[in-house]
Amino acid sequence: MRKVAIIGIGQVPVREHWGKSLRELAVDALWQALEDGNRNEIDGLVVGNMLSGTLSEQEHLGALIADFAGFPGVEAVKVEGACASGAAAFRQGLLAVASGQKNCVAVVGVEKLTERSGWHTTSALATAADADFETSVGLTFVALNALVKQRFMYEHQVSKEQFAYFPMLAHQNAVHNPQAMFRKPITIEQYLKAKMIAEPINLLDSSPIADGAAAVILVPWDDVEKNSQAIEVLACEVGTDTIALHDRQEMLQMKGIEISAQRAFATAGITPQDISFFEPHDAFSIMTVLSLQASGFMSAIEALNHARNGYFTIDGTLPICTMGGLKGRGHPVGATGVYQIVEAVLQLRGAAPKAIQVKNPRYGLTQNVGGTGATVVTTILRRKD
Amino acid sequence: MRKVAIIGIGQVPVREHWGKSLRELAVDALWQALEDGNRNEIDGLVVGNMLSGTLSEQEHLGALIADFAGFPGVEAVKVEGACASGAAAFRQGLLAVASGQKNCVAVVGVEKLTERSGWHTTSALATAADADFETSVGLTFVALNALVKQRFMYEHQVSKEQFAYFPMLAHQNAVHNPQAMFRKPITIEQYLKAKMIAEPINLLDSSPIADGAAAVILVPWDDVEKNSQAIEVLACEVGTDTIALHDRQEMLQMKGIEISAQRAFATAGITPQDISFFEPHDAFSIMTVLSLQASGFMSAIEALNHARNGYFTIDGTLPICTMGGLKGRGHPVGATGVYQIVEAVLQLRGAAPKAIQVKNPRYGLTQNVGGTGATVVTTILRRKD
């Protein structure tokens, strides 16, 4: 297996892109990444997407995007792993280069969620859960996360208010990220007054439905080791868990995250203490808490406490959601995992907007979660020594 | 890159499986493959599927099938490339083992097309074409193939009747395959009287909508070289073309097939003349003709002529559709590419039903085509010397 570098990155602002088609968003991000990486050819394309078939009546995104980006003929395929589709695509692109099969692979995550009505999008997103045993009885995605949060609050005897500091942190960073959807801070008062979506998850606990596309260019490390922009992919590992929440022995354990993170740390040969910043999958605030625990950073209660004491801010011990996370940047599901990686590369290059640049980061960790933790992809990137 | 072997195969009969869910079909095929390969663990799963999100309201098949097969935790992902999803998944599974990342990967192709009404399925299948520029103006999949066939008949001045021999061949072989959907021969009279679907494609030119699942187990060649059941994966290569038919310079050229086949022959280090039998993607009879040409076997006109002279029968020079092809076995789209590989393994093992066993085959070629040739996966398998 060869070492692999990310040499180019691209992203379109996360918005409700009513005037742009799925392919336009994808090609825009891809071309930006090629320009950034100073490349004009690729020999492979992997697309991460979850819902284009359901919401845009368009499958076959591998060939579609290869074609419209100007690379007909090139090997291309789509990869899906619910909300972890973006990082799952990254994993396949990584394998193609690491194995020696390909020398320059583009990974594009793209999603257009505002194509249909909110009802349509909510049901489409629920296809990440178990259709026969969860969604068939009316559970939506926010309801599933609400069940987890209820259980957590009961077991740990904590209040709703304690979760407020996660979305507040995310928005605080998103203010400075021009690609983010919500560039305004939120206050504890706003959080406490926010509309309830599925008790105890309120509007400000929830990442927004959005459109977006992000892309990276992967090449063999040996080709670019002298390039100061190159960032090494140290590990990218996948773990899974039961698809249905009720099939888990312990609802709060998040085994998929544990497996994925343990594999990633083992492959990278480092520990959670080495990580300079963490991009969690903060689709709902409860997910951030559970993943800080399951990834080996700290207990869930420590996570809740640290959220209010500055531990997770840009100049804290472990900055998280440095560009706004899913909550502030937005969550175009199949693109999210690639946005996280693009943002981590910006941090490691020292090219993040000034106010949210982590100081001298060495290792960045991103984590993309599908379903209620059934597919988890943990990626560790390293800045050149 | 390590050499890779197929050590286990499984398939469920292609039928309208109204009494079985998607996951049951997939797990059935997967368990058969494990038993056949004498394995009880896997360290990776790749699922090929196109339409579960649209037709069964279920995405996230990687985690779902890993879970229900009894392997929660294992790395799992879904791959989509329209009707070539099955072989596209096989390609990713191959990379995982060839690269040294995984030691025992299951590839499962699964599709359930009879879950909804015919109208729903027809529109779902059309998501393989260009949504903005083809399906938006009303084109269905059969209509797109009909345009190609019209053009072919005009350019080559051939009659509809000349295509009859391909479905006749396929059905003739399907009679002997217990997994096939249509186990009865068809006559030229039946063909000529068959209902027209989209001029000039009639019912008997068209492969049927169906449900099914097929699976293979991939392991490093070195682990099993003494096992007489092991079949070597010599090559598996992907080519793409423009997604829309009208974007091609030459509608009858099938560049995606050319690229994919040329890459596969180059990787394998053999020529079309070495191939013992060919499993084409005969979704429509015109596709068989064009792929025989684009894969380098013969001109399209030779293909049409050979169809009536015994060249393609089981004891002919180049047996095709040996187990019935898409036309006779059925075409559960995301599963089809894996069925083709399972059938090729049976042939190479000498384990096909007697009447359709190719005599002493050495190299088998399978070709899975997505859309109107926009994603093509060509696989070459070799029997142990």
Side-chain angles (χ1 to χ4, degrees), chain B residues 38-50:
Chain B
N38 199 23
R39 303 271 164 158
N40 48 31
E41 286 295 336
I42 54 172
D43 60 2
L45 170 67
V46 188
V47 177
N49 172 270
M50 180 183 174

Side-chain angles (χ1 to χ4, degrees), chain B residues 154-282:
Chain B
Y154 170 77
E155 280 199 16
H156 295 286
Q157 290 297 305
V158 295
S159 70
K160 284 185 255 186
E161 189 185 336
Q162 290 183 259
F163 291 86
Y165 301 92
F166 288 102
M168 285 165 66
L169 264 165
H171 275 249
Q172 191 176 305
N173 293 338
V175 167
H176 306 283
N177 176 8
Q179 315 294 331
M181 189 146 168
F182 296 139
R183 301 188 61 191
K184 55 183 178 189
I186 53 175
T187 62
I188 183 87
E189 292 73 28
Q190 286 172 311
Y191 179 89
L192 292 174
K193 277 191 290 187
K195 188 175 157 189
M196 194 55 69
I197 308 290
E199 179 73 32
I201 290 182
N202 72 31
L203 187 68
L204 294 180
D205 277 317
S206 316
S207 58
I209 279 169
D211 306 328
V216 298
I217 307 295
L218 296 172
V219 297
W221 177 258
D222 290 350
D223 289 6
V224 293
E225 55 181 335
K226 284 178 187 150
N227 184 323
S228 63
Q229 280 215 114
I231 298 297
E232 186 188 347
V233 184
L234 212 54
C236 176
E237 298 285 346
V238 182
T240 58
D241 198 352
T242 69
I243 192 161
L245 215 46
H246 57 251
D247 281 334
R248 301 188 189 160
Q249 289 203 303
E250 172 48 75
M251 199 195 252
L252 303 177
Q253 194 186 352
M254 295 290 137
K255 264 193 178 170
I257 296 181
E258 284 181 9
I259 294 170
S260 161
Q262 281 163 13
R263 285 183 186 156
F265 283 119
T267 303
I270 62 170
T271 69
Q273 285 65 50
D274 296 314
I275 297 298
S276 314
F277 62 93
F278 174 35
E279 297 298 339
H281 190 90
D282 59 323

Side-chain angles (χ1 to χ4, degrees), chain B residues 51-58 111-117 120-121 124-125:
Chain B
L51 294 171
S52 73
T54 313
L55 297 177
S56 308
E57 291 167 7
Q58 180 71 68
E111 202 81 59
K112 204 156 179 334
L113 294 178
T114 68
E115 202 87 335
R116 305 285 294 275
S117 70
H120 266 109
T121 308
L125 288 168

Side-chain angles (χ1 to χ4, degrees), chain A residues 220-384:
Chain A
W221 177 259
D222 290 348
D223 288 8
V224 293
E225 53 181 335
K226 284 177 190 151
N227 184 322
S228 63
Q229 281 216 114
I231 297 297
E232 186 187 347
V233 184
L234 213 54
C236 175
E237 298 286 345
V238 182
T240 58
D241 196 353
T242 69
I243 191 161
L245 215 46
H246 57 251
D247 281 333
R248 300 186 190 162
Q249 288 203 305
E250 172 48 72
M251 200 195 253
L252 303 177
Q253 192 186 353
M254 294 291 139
K255 262 194 182 172
I257 295 181
E258 285 181 8
I259 295 170
S260 161
Q262 282 163 12
R263 284 182 186 155
F265 283 119
T267 302
I270 62 170
T271 70
Q273 284 65 48
D274 296 314
I275 297 299
S276 315
F277 63 93
F278 174 36
E279 297 298 339
H281 190 91
D282 59 324
F284 301 98
S285 54
I286 178 68
M287 266 297 148
T288 312
V289 175
L290 293 176
S291 73
L292 279 161
Q293 173 169 286
S295 302
F297 287 107
M298 62 196 66
S299 75
I301 290 300
E302 285 172 311
L304 277 177
N305 292 334
H306 281 326
R308 43 204 314 180
N309 71 15
Y311 193 94
F312 298 128
T313 58
I314 291 296
D315 46 12
T317 311
L318 181 69
I320 65 170
C321 304
T322 66
M323 302 275 186
L326 280 62
K327 177 68 195 80
R329 176 232 303 126
H331 181 26
V333 295
T336 292
V338 186
Y339 273 102
Q340 292 177 312
I341 291 168
V342 164
E343 291 163 353
V345 168
L346 283 172
Q347 289 289 3
L348 292 167
R349 283 184 186 173
K354 220 171 183 180
I356 48 174
Q357 174 65 55
V358 175
K359 205 178 155 195
N360 201 23
R362 177 127 196 263
Y363 296 100
L365 187 139
T366 67
Q367 192 169 73
N368 198 194
V369 178
T372 47
T375 298
V376 183
V377 189
T378 304
T379 303
I380 301 177
L381 304 180
R382 175 165 65 181
R383 195 197 56 207
K384 205 194 295 249

Side-chain angles (χ1 to χ4, degrees), chain A residues 97-163:
Chain A
V97 178
S99 66
Q101 272 275 307
K102 301 285 171 186
N103 289 311
C104 185
V105 169
V107 178
V108 181
V110 60
E111 202 81 59
K112 204 155 179 337
L113 294 178
T114 68
E115 201 87 335
R116 306 284 294 275
S117 70
W119 178 87
H120 265 109
T121 308
T122 300
S123 355
L125 287 168
T127 61
D130 189 317
D132 295 348
F133 300 106
E134 290 183 325
T135 39
S136 61
V137 293
L139 280 162
T140 62
F141 235 79
V142 58
L144 284 162
N145 279 275
L147 288 173
V148 176
K149 191 171 178 181
Q150 282 281 19
R151 182 75 205 173
F152 184 91
M153 288 168 61
Y154 170 78
E155 281 197 17
H156 295 286
Q157 290 298 306
V158 295
S159 70
K160 281 185 258 187
E161 189 186 335
Q162 290 182 259
F163 291 87

